[in-house]
Amino acid sequence: MEHAAKKPVPEPAPAVGPAARIAALIVYPVKGARGIATDTAVATPTGLALPDGGGDREWMVVDPAGQFVTQRDSPRLALVTPSLARNRLWLAAPACDPLGVDLAAPPADARDVRLWRSQVRGRDAGDAAARWMSSHLVREVRLVRFDRTRPRACNPDYVGRSSASTMFADGYPVLVIASASLADLNERLLRKGVAPLPMDRFRPNLVVDGLNAYDEDHLDTLAAGETLLRMVKPCTRCKVTTIDQASAAAGVEPLPTLAMYRVDDRLAAVTFGMNAIVAQGGALTAGAPIDARFRFQEAL
């Protein structure tokens, strides 16, 4: 596979407005489960990875037919807390004994699974993981790990000829949200008498301080050290944003409020945050400065 990281990358222009910095880095090893906030992460072609190597959305829950399962149809996934230690993927949830999946075990036979319109190759994580996850979700499921020998390309309509790929993310490697965007949304919710929402409702990988609200809509790139992310597509939002990530209880907001001012006519959907690809890989550190280049700067 041709990695975009090997291509020469132009020097980004300085950020417009106040200096930006990385406010938070979050990796979600299991699609639909809780994320892991980390002080450092590695930007790889398929998304952020933890320092010990666990990749974003590297594991996914599927039903017996191989169809992907997320909080959209199993909100209790929000209560699953993954971690990586001692060469194991650990799974924890209320009223369940923790389970460790041995990452050094011989890989299981590959199988095809469905993720939206994509047929993706995965490797089963074993009967113990299937029993644990089935018991917690109260339905028959399996846990599969992405087969890295079969890359999953991103939509070329948005990433062009970049050869960008991802694992079990919905479509793109990295989701970026400005903290000011959430602050603006929460101000609108408060005016309606609705309690503010935490950032985990939107499951970003990279939260950025120092940008104005919704500046991410207009960014071309974000650069931190050698790492360069390129914004490619607004993130369309679904009912997962209405699920309390601490309790798995479903509510109503924020979709009605977002629908009042965040409808993208081109996508015929509500959007919040921007999907990005990794144009140049490297290390990322929470608190580090980050240079933002806006699309309009290309004409300067």
Side-chain angles (χ1 to χ4, degrees):
M1 184 178 98
E2 181 184 0
H3 289 176
K6 295 181 180 179
K7 298 178 181 178
V9 178
E11 185 71 21
V16 170
R21 70 178 186 88
I22 298 173
L25 296 164
I26 309 101
V27 178
Y28 305 85
V30 179
K31 184 177 180 67
R34 289 179 176 173
I36 299 174
T38 178
D39 290 335
T40 59
V42 181
T44 75
T46 56
L48 300 192
L50 296 166
D52 58 9
D56 191 74
R57 277 84 172 190
E58 187 167 351
W59 287 266
M60 182 172 71
V61 180
V62 299
D63 68 14
Q67 182 74 11
F68 77 113
V69 173
T70 71
Q71 290 184 35
R72 298 172 183 88
D73 46 16
S74 287
R76 285 175 59 83
L77 259 175
L79 304 180
V80 175
T81 301
S83 59
L84 288 113
R86 304 188 300 277
N87 207 28
R88 288 179 179 270
L89 169 69
W90 292 92
L91 303 173
C96 294
D97 292 331
L99 175 75
V101 179
D102 187 359
L103 303 184
D109 291 339
R111 58 175 298 193
D112 289 332
V113 295
R114 296 292 301 179
L115 174 54
W116 297 115
R117 292 178 292 178
S118 300
Q119 183 169 284
V120 189
R121 186 64 62 87
R123 293 186 180 274
D124 197 277
D127 291 340
R131 287 192 298 269
W132 189 96
M133 196 67 75
S134 297
S135 175
H136 173 68
L137 297 183
V138 197
R139 59 181 293 189
E140 185 180 354
V141 294
R142 308 287 299 185
L143 182 68
V144 297
R145 187 179 188 181
F146 187 81
D147 185 347
R148 292 174 180 263
T149 68
R150 185 72 65 87
R152 176 179 169 231
C154 297
N155 187 340
D157 290 345
Y158 294 97
V159 304
R161 299 180 179 179
S162 65
S163 300
S165 65
T166 187
M167 290 194 279
F168 289 133
D170 276 355
Y172 302 91
V174 181
L175 176 58
V176 177
I177 298 179
S179 54
S181 300
L182 179 63
D184 177 81
L185 170 60
N186 280 333
E187 287 180 6
R188 296 169 188 265
L189 291 173
L190 285 170
R191 290 198 292 269
K192 295 174 67 175
V194 178
L197 299 177
M199 185 64 84
D200 64 9
R201 287 290 186 98
F202 302 95
R203 301 175 64 78
N205 297 112
L206 177 65
V207 181
V208 183
D209 279 350
L211 297 176
N212 295 320
Y214 312 110
D215 269 355
E216 62 268 40
D217 294 349
H218 311 292
L219 290 175
D220 179 33
T221 58
L222 286 174
E226 297 181 351
T227 304
L228 184 70
L229 305 179
R230 186 174 300 281
M231 309 300 114
V232 293
K233 181 180 181 290
C235 182
T236 58
R237 309 313 308 217
C238 67
K239 71 177 185 178
V240 170
T241 59
T242 70
I243 297 172
D244 186 327
Q245 298 297 293
S247 68
V252 176
E253 291 288 3
L255 292 180
T257 298
L258 288 172
M260 297 173 64
Y261 72 109
R262 292 292 303 172
V263 174
D264 187 312
D265 292 334
R266 297 166 301 172
L267 300 173
V270 166
T271 68
F272 191 85
M274 282 292 291
N275 290 299
I277 62 174
V278 180
Q280 180 79 30
L284 293 170
T285 303
I290 192 164
D291 292 328
R293 180 189 178 99
F294 290 80
R295 287 192 294 271
F296 64 78
Q297 287 181 273
E298 295 179 350
L300 297 181

